[in-house]
Amino acid sequence: MSISRMTREQFEILAGEAFDLLPERVIAELDNVAIVIEDESPDGDRLGEYVGIPQVERSDMDVAPLPDKVVLFMEDILDGCGDAHEEVREEIRRKLWHEIAHHFGWE
Protein backbone atom coordinates (compact mmCIF):
# COMPACT_ATOMS: atom_id res chain seq x y z
CA MET A 1 0.00 0.00 0.00
CA SER A 2 1.31 3.44 -0.85
CA ILE A 3 1.47 6.22 1.68
CA SER A 4 -1.15 8.69 0.61
CA ARG A 5 -0.51 12.38 0.88
CA MET A 6 -4.16 13.04 0.15
CA THR A 7 -6.56 12.45 3.03
CA ARG A 8 -9.63 10.28 2.68
CA GLU A 9 -11.76 13.37 3.28
CA GLN A 10 -10.09 15.19 0.37
CA PHE A 11 -10.56 12.13 -1.84
CA GLU A 12 -14.25 11.88 -0.89
CA ILE A 13 -14.75 15.55 -1.78
CA LEU A 14 -13.12 14.98 -5.18
CA ALA A 15 -15.28 11.87 -5.70
CA GLY A 16 -18.40 13.94 -4.98
CA GLU A 17 -17.25 16.61 -7.43
CA ALA A 18 -16.49 13.96 -10.06
CA PHE A 19 -19.94 12.41 -9.58
CA ASP A 20 -21.55 15.83 -10.03
CA LEU A 21 -19.76 16.15 -13.40
CA LEU A 22 -21.68 13.16 -14.79
CA PRO A 23 -24.64 14.02 -17.03
CA GLU A 24 -27.87 14.54 -15.10
CA ARG A 25 -29.68 12.06 -17.36
CA VAL A 26 -27.23 9.34 -16.33
CA ILE A 27 -27.48 10.16 -12.63
CA ALA A 28 -31.28 10.16 -12.88
CA GLU A 29 -31.26 6.63 -14.32
CA LEU A 30 -29.13 5.12 -11.57
CA ASP A 31 -31.25 2.64 -9.67
CA ASN A 32 -30.29 1.42 -6.21
CA VAL A 33 -26.55 2.12 -6.55
CA ALA A 34 -24.16 3.05 -3.75
CA ILE A 35 -20.84 4.73 -4.46
CA VAL A 36 -18.28 3.27 -2.03
CA ILE A 37 -14.66 4.21 -1.40
CA GLU A 38 -12.31 1.51 -0.18
CA ASP A 39 -8.64 1.90 0.63
CA GLU A 40 -7.25 -0.44 -2.02
CA SER A 41 -8.26 -3.26 -4.32
CA PRO A 42 -7.70 -6.84 -3.17
CA ASP A 43 -5.11 -7.40 -5.89
CA GLY A 44 -3.64 -3.91 -5.65
CA ASP A 45 -4.10 -2.97 -9.30
CA ARG A 46 -7.75 -2.06 -9.91
CA LEU A 47 -9.06 1.47 -9.76
CA GLY A 48 -12.66 0.43 -9.25
CA GLU A 49 -15.28 -2.23 -9.74
CA TYR A 50 -19.00 -2.71 -10.19
CA VAL A 51 -20.70 -5.16 -7.85
CA GLY A 52 -24.29 -6.00 -8.68
CA ILE A 53 -26.76 -7.05 -11.32
CA PRO A 54 -26.83 -4.88 -14.46
CA GLN A 55 -30.21 -3.29 -15.18
CA VAL A 56 -30.53 -5.21 -18.45
CA GLU A 57 -30.28 -8.52 -16.57
CA ARG A 58 -32.93 -7.72 -13.96
CA SER A 59 -36.42 -9.12 -13.89
CA ASP A 60 -39.63 -7.90 -12.29
CA MET A 61 -39.69 -11.30 -10.58
CA ASP A 62 -36.39 -10.68 -8.75
CA VAL A 63 -36.50 -10.19 -5.00
CA ALA A 64 -35.58 -6.63 -4.08
CA PRO A 65 -31.79 -6.72 -4.30
CA LEU A 66 -29.26 -5.11 -2.04
CA PRO A 67 -27.91 -1.93 -3.56
CA ASP A 68 -25.44 -2.38 -6.39
CA LYS A 69 -22.07 -0.84 -5.62
CA VAL A 70 -19.58 1.16 -7.58
CA VAL A 71 -16.37 0.80 -5.61
CA LEU A 72 -13.49 3.26 -5.99
CA PHE A 73 -10.11 2.10 -4.69
CA MET A 74 -8.49 5.22 -3.31
CA GLU A 75 -4.86 4.07 -3.00
CA ASP A 76 -4.84 2.48 -6.45
CA ILE A 77 -6.18 5.70 -7.99
CA LEU A 78 -3.68 7.82 -6.08
CA ASP A 79 -0.82 5.52 -7.10
CA GLY A 80 -1.57 6.43 -10.72
CA CYS A 81 -2.36 10.09 -10.21
CA GLY A 82 -0.33 11.28 -7.29
CA ASP A 83 -1.64 14.25 -5.37
CA ALA A 84 -2.82 16.50 -8.22
CA HIS A 85 -6.47 17.18 -7.41
CA GLU A 86 -7.51 17.86 -11.01
CA GLU A 87 -5.92 14.62 -12.20
CA VAL A 88 -7.46 12.60 -9.34
CA ARG A 89 -10.92 14.11 -9.96
CA GLU A 90 -10.68 13.30 -13.69
CA GLU A 91 -9.56 9.71 -13.02
CA ILE A 92 -12.44 9.25 -10.57
CA ARG A 93 -14.87 10.65 -13.15
CA ARG A 94 -13.59 8.24 -15.80
CA LYS A 95 -13.76 5.31 -13.38
CA LEU A 96 -17.31 6.24 -12.32
CA TRP A 97 -18.37 6.35 -15.99
CA HIS A 98 -16.80 2.95 -16.62
CA GLU A 99 -18.39 1.24 -13.61
CA ILE A 100 -21.79 2.91 -14.09
CA ALA A 101 -21.75 1.62 -17.66
CA HIS A 102 -21.61 -1.89 -16.19
CA HIS A 103 -24.68 -1.02 -14.07
CA PHE A 104 -26.58 -0.13 -17.24
CA GLY A 105 -25.28 -3.22 -19.05
CA TRP A 106 -23.35 -1.16 -21.58
CA GLU A 107 -20.32 -2.84 -23.14
Side-chain angles (χ1 to χ4, degrees), residues 1-56:
M1 180 171 84
S2 70
I3 297 174
S4 173
R5 295 169 304 279
M6 182 178 291
T7 67
R8 185 176 187 91
E9 181 179 11
Q10 290 170 317
F11 189 88
E12 288 173 356
I13 290 168
L14 292 175
E17 291 171 1
F19 183 82
D20 290 342
L21 293 172
L22 298 174
E24 288 182 28
R25 70 187 186 329
V26 170
I27 293 171
E29 292 297 321
L30 290 175
D31 180 33
N32 201 23
V33 179
I35 308 297
V36 177
I37 297 171
E38 293 186 5
D39 290 334
E40 64 182 316
S41 65
D43 55 13
D45 69 353
R46 283 184 286 159
L47 305 181
E49 73 178 332
Y50 170 72
V51 180
I53 301 170
Q55 285 184 354
V56 296

Side-chain angles (χ1 to χ4, degrees), residues 58-97:
R58 295 181 186 177
S59 164
D60 291 338
M61 303 303 286
D62 289 340
V63 176
L66 294 173
D68 290 357
K69 292 192 307 186
V70 169
V71 182
L72 299 170
F73 297 112
M74 182 175 123
E75 293 298 332
D76 299 84
I77 291 172
L78 293 177
D79 283 348
C81 296
D83 229 17
H85 287 212
E86 290 295 324
E87 190 175 341
V88 171
R89 183 184 305 108
E90 178 58 21
E91 186 59 48
I92 293 170
R93 187 193 65 76
R94 281 193 301 263
K95 186 45 54 184
L96 285 171
W97 255 119

